[in-house]
Amino acid sequence: MVFSDGPVELPHFLVSCESLVYFKFVFGLHEVLKLPSSAGFVGLNMLSLMNVKLLDCVSFRTFISNCPVLEHLNLLACVFSDMKILDIASVSLKSLVIDNGYPDPGGDGLRNCELKLCLEYLYLTLAHPECFKTSFCNLKSLKLILIPNDQSMNLMVGLLNCFPNLEALTICFAWYETVEFSVEDIPSPSVTYHLKMVELLEVRGGKNELEFMRFLLKHGRALDGMSISWAADIKDPKDITSEIMKFPRTSSTVVLKFLQLKSEVDVSRL
């Protein structure tokens, strides 16, 4: 943890350390972190930044792309100054957590910022998804936790509209609050055309969940399998299972699996 009255520049010996695999940098207050312009962190697997103020989207994008084996990036209560685009491109990155509501509710800094991601795999947590726009490219696998606010389902629908080539989708309904939505909010069934595998966790059989399953089965012409894991407190889902089995299916090869969980899903292991 660092307390500073001005910008902080990472020392060269730290950036060039080949054995460093995990780095967590926390400012006591929102101060500027000056990122190195040269390649570094060649062995870094996980990077967590908290209460950090970043000024330049170009230098941040360059910094991330210079970390060749970085798989996990956590941006917690960070401020992105007046950035119009937060651009993150990485061939290795698998997990991105942007928690812009912790610990300072005013620390999101993304209200007028577009989040542009060029990744193949994504685990995404957003505390205030209504605050900014999101665009993606090349994404084939998405793991998504719905967050307990009125924008949860809107976030999911909005994200699906960004993924024309999505092949694998995992959604965890942990902490999910019932929010009215319609699959009509998804403008085109083409968002499901390439989906092959769908995994739904912590399912309770609510109206929204069932309508979403119906939509996927109806339009998922490449769908090979859908796994539905009931929430631990659902003791006898036979009636819900029977209803789902009657949903029309476009794919003749799709297999439905129903699983009964004994405990809540550990979302950190998704």
Side-chain angles (χ1 to χ4, degrees):
M1 179 174 286
V2 177
F3 292 87
S4 174
D5 293 330
V8 173
E9 185 173 0
L10 297 177
H12 178 71
F13 76 85
L14 182 65
V15 177
S16 60
C17 180
E18 296 182 359
S19 61
L20 185 66
V21 296
Y22 172 68
F23 181 46
K24 182 177 182 179
F25 191 91
V26 181
F27 271 123
L29 299 172
H30 287 115
E31 296 294 344
V32 174
L33 177 63
K34 296 179 65 176
L35 298 173
S37 56
S38 58
F41 287 129
V42 293
L44 195 66
N45 178 264
M46 176 178 286
L47 173 65
S48 292
L49 301 178
M50 177 180 285
N51 287 343
V52 170
K53 187 174 184 179
L54 300 167
L55 299 179
D56 183 358
C57 63
V58 175
S59 63
F60 184 74
R61 187 181 194 276
T62 301
F63 170 71
I64 296 300
S65 63
N66 281 339
C67 299
V69 296
L70 185 67
E71 293 187 352
H72 309 284
L73 174 62
N74 300 330
L75 303 174
L76 312 177
C78 290
V79 172
F80 300 90
S81 190
D82 295 324
M83 285 188 191
K84 298 302 180 183
I85 297 178
L86 176 59
D87 192 351
I88 300 175
S90 170
V91 296
S92 61
L93 198 63
K94 295 182 179 179
S95 168
L96 172 64
V97 176
I98 301 179
D99 189 342
N100 47 346
Y102 173 84
D104 178 8
D108 57 87
L110 291 169
R111 296 188 183 277
N112 296 307
C113 186
E114 177 184 353
L115 180 61
K116 183 178 181 181
L117 305 177
C118 189
L119 312 168
E120 288 191 3
Y121 305 95
L122 176 65
Y123 169 111
L124 182 62
T125 301
L126 300 170
H128 298 294
E130 71 279 8
C131 293
F132 56 94
K133 300 177 182 179
T134 311
S135 61
F136 301 82
C137 62
N138 299 335
L139 196 70
K140 294 182 179 180
S141 177
L142 172 67
K143 294 186 178 182
L144 175 66
I145 297 174
L146 292 187
I147 300 146
N149 61 43
D150 291 342
Q151 295 295 322
S152 295
M153 192 59 74
N154 292 335
L155 169 63
M156 182 191 72
V157 171
L159 289 178
L160 286 180
N161 291 331
C162 299
F163 305 142
N165 299 310
L166 192 65
E167 296 179 0
L169 174 65
T170 297
I171 294 181
C172 182
F173 293 96
W175 317 304
Y176 175 62
E177 294 181 354
T178 301
V179 179
E180 289 297 327
F181 99 111
S182 171
V183 291
E184 294 176 357
D185 295 330
I186 305 176
S188 171
S190 63
V191 298
T192 67
Y193 284 175
H194 297 282
L195 268 181
K196 296 179 180 179
M197 297 299 299
V198 174
E199 183 181 25
L200 303 177
L201 306 174
E202 294 280 355
V203 175
R204 288 180 165 78
K207 177 182 176 182
N208 287 339
E209 296 166 339
L210 293 177
E211 285 303 308
F212 185 57
M213 291 181 219
R214 188 195 305 271
F215 177 86
L216 293 177
L217 290 171
K218 180 179 179 180
H219 299 288
R221 59 189 185 186
L223 200 59
D224 291 327
M226 179 183 290
S227 173
I228 299 168
S229 298
W230 303 110
D233 57 354
I234 301 297
K235 304 302 181 184
D236 188 9
K238 287 190 298 185
D239 291 341
I240 307 173
T241 301
S242 298
E243 183 178 357
I244 295 172
M245 292 298 294
K246 295 177 184 177
F247 290 167
R249 312 175 203 178
T250 297
S251 172
S252 60
T253 60
V254 62
V255 175
L256 299 183
K257 292 184 179 180
F258 298 91
L259 305 174
Q260 183 68 54
L261 299 182
K262 296 181 180 180
S263 60
E264 290 186 355
V265 173
D266 182 359
V267 295
S268 65
R269 297 182 178 274
L270 282 182

